[in-house]
Amino acid sequence: MAQGRLATVSWGESEEDGGAVLTTVDSLVNWARKNSLWPLPMGLSCCAIEFMAAATSRFDMARFGAEVARFSPKQADVMIVAGTMTYKMGEAVRRLYDQMAEPKWVIAMGACASTAGMFRTYPVMQGIDHIVPVDFYVPGCPPRPEMLINTLIQLQKKVASERAHKGLRVANLKAEKATA
Amino acid sequence: MSEPLQVIVDPAAAGTPASAPPAAVALLRERHGDGVRALMENRGQFRVLVERGQAAEAIRFLRDDPRLRFTFLVDVTAIDFHPATPRFRVTWVLRSYHTKETLVLQADVPEDDPSVPSMTHLFPGADWLERECFDMFGIRFTGHPDLRRILLPDVFPGHPLRKDYPMAGIMTDQEWAEHIVSRAQREEGHD
């Protein structure tokens, strides 16, 4: 379960008598979060095809709780930008990112999303990190589904290591009060 | 009717068997005379160079003449011959389902007045084609009902398919990022 910080307490002689599991809020919340990372598939070009492959039964992203692609940003946790982002599409990418609820993460899938790849051209932004904060850059043109799944596993590790109130408004208010 | 036009064969296609120009060319010439400037051929495909002032009338004739019926406007685009003059050549590709022929009309357009008449009154489908041509080449289609950019963002500077346009664009990524972020915040009502 929640790795690392875990202790069990039994009330009676055996486990059947009932008991409790002791852990920290961070561990419990992060355990839930990292096993249900719902992606927002920002499929902009051919990388989106590899993303779809990763979701199929052959590669089975569902093993890591990330198969529930949500087309509403309000229900998504991780935006996977899969493809070449033009300046015009950048407006939509940024708006969708803003509409995602905290906490949220971003994966730049493939060479184009990371650095624009071969497109040093007039309509293409040279990497999505100019307009959204990126947690993981996935190399490849396009990356194979295994690569994306590996990135999801890395993201799970990252989520598990964060504070549970990451990005939450209440935490910010407390911080503001503390500094005032 | 004046002398038959000499067919200019593209150098790249020299030596390929010549084919006869479609009947549309002779009919067009009969109707518009000197407005038809030149006739070019490349591997059996013909292009007719017309005066830009007569392009609309020529296309209307090709569309409405019962012998021709070029009722499908396949494409509207332009060619930039920078630094030659006249700089641009606007191109209309017409198709007749009646004669099963394709005919390409072209008109030279100078750099200081890059305008041609819009064909939207003849072909409603010319609307977006002309907007794209305006977006990419900066050709003004006079009489177009809504001539604004169609592919690129509204704030995009210049017309990128012009030969003198810098490949990597004019605005930097930082400028674009500021534009995108400020616009997203404005539309989302963020503070």
Side-chain angles (χ1 to χ4, degrees), chain B residues 9-125:
Chain B
V9 179
D10 283 358
T16 53
S19 42
V25 176
L27 292 170
L28 194 64
R29 192 114 193 288
E30 195 177 307
R31 167 106 176 187
H32 286 281
D34 294 338
V36 178
R37 281 301 184 81
L39 179 62
M40 294 156 285
E41 192 242 341
N42 186 334
R43 299 178 177 85
Q45 295 184 330
F46 286 86
R47 308 196 304 284
V48 182
L49 191 65
V50 297
E51 282 291 317
R52 66 170 161 164
Q54 297 194 28
E57 272 314 299
I59 288 176
R60 182 196 292 278
F61 169 73
L62 291 169
R63 185 191 70 166
D64 292 344
D65 190 280
R67 295 162 291 184
L68 302 174
R69 285 191 253 164
F70 283 89
T71 52
F72 180 30
L73 180 64
V74 180
D75 199 8
V76 178
T77 185
I79 306 164
D80 183 3
F81 288 105
H82 179 75
T85 51
R87 180 167 174 180
F88 300 104
R89 185 168 281 178
V90 177
T91 300
W92 297 271
V93 182
L94 293 159
R95 176 76 185 170
S96 168
Y97 292 118
H98 178 61
T99 64
K100 297 187 172 51
E101 281 172 345
T102 299
L103 190 65
V104 177
L105 248 70
Q106 295 183 312
D108 284 332
V109 176
E111 184 175 5
D112 53 4
D113 175 28
S115 66
V116 288
S118 170
M119 301 301 159
T120 45
H121 62 292
L122 300 172
F123 294 96

Side-chain angles (χ1 to χ4, degrees), chain A residues 87-88 95 99 122 126, chain B residues 150-151 167 173 187-188:
Chain A
Y87 295 125
K88 197 173 187 181
R95 285 192 68 181
Q99 289 174 8
Y122 58 88
Q126 306 297 300
Chain B
I150 187 169
L151 296 173
M167 169 88 148
D173 279 329
E187 291 181 7
E188 290 294 318

Side-chain angles (χ1 to χ4, degrees), chain A residues 38-39 68 70-77 99-101:
Chain A
W38 291 8
V68 196
R70 289 288 123 168
F71 296 91
S72 164
K74 295 175 174 71
Q75 300 169 347
D77 304 298
Q99 289 174 8
M100 288 168 70

Side-chain angles (χ1 to χ4, degrees), chain A residues 148-161:
Chain A
L148 181 62
I149 287 171
N150 179 57
T151 309
L152 280 169
I153 295 168
Q154 298 298 319
L155 179 60
Q156 285 184 324
K157 287 180 187 164
K158 180 173 184 174
V159 171
S161 70

